[in-house]
Each structure stands twice: as C-alpha cells, then as structure tokens.
Amino acid sequence: MKQISGKEFCRILERYGWEIKRINGSHHIYAKDGRIERLSVPVHGNTPLKIGLLKALMKVAGIDENDI
C-alpha cells in the first residue's frame, strides 16, 4: 500500500461523499449522511499518514485499498 498524506486522504473522502464538519487544530473531522461514524484525519502538511492509521480510516470509511 502506498503512503498518502492527510490532505490527499481528505480529497479521497470527499470524493466518496464524506463532508467536512469542523476542523479542530490540525484534525479535520468528517461525517457522512446516514452514518454515525466520524473520521478524524490529521493534516500535517504533506506528511504521510502511518499505514495502520490509514488502514483503520479506510475500513471505517468503506474505501478499498485499490481505490487510492
């Protein structure tokens, strides 16, 4: 799996219908209609997300590894 930054992952989330609800410091909080989950994506410039965090966020968001 390739590493991507928080900025790139935010763009992918928005493509899949997730909406940004608020920004708390460097964390962007996303929600989607019909879902109770919230996703907190750390956006620290172009620093890549750690693989474990990326996989966990993708699992909750319902995004497949091939979609990145």
Side-chain angles (χ1 to χ4, degrees):
M1 168 182 271
K2 73 174 193 173
Q3 288 188 317
I4 60 172
S5 69
K7 282 184 192 178
E8 292 176 68
F9 190 67
C10 287
R11 283 190 224 114
I12 293 168
L13 283 175
E14 290 169 4
R15 208 177 330 144
Y16 281 88
W18 289 83
E19 297 175 349
I20 190 162
K21 293 297 178 183
R22 66 183 183 277
I23 298 175
N24 189 5
S26 62
H27 288 74
H28 294 210
I29 313 300
Y30 282 87
K32 189 173 182 177
D33 288 338
R35 308 266 312 252
I36 52 175
E37 299 92 357
R38 298 287 183 260
L39 294 176
S40 177
V41 181
V43 178
H44 300 173
N46 289 323
T47 305
L49 297 173
K50 303 279 184 169
I51 294 296
L53 174 63
L54 180 59
K55 286 184 177 183
L57 290 172
M58 288 172 53
K59 183 177 180 180
V60 172
I63 298 173
D64 188 30
E65 186 176 325
N66 299 326
D67 297 334
I68 293 183

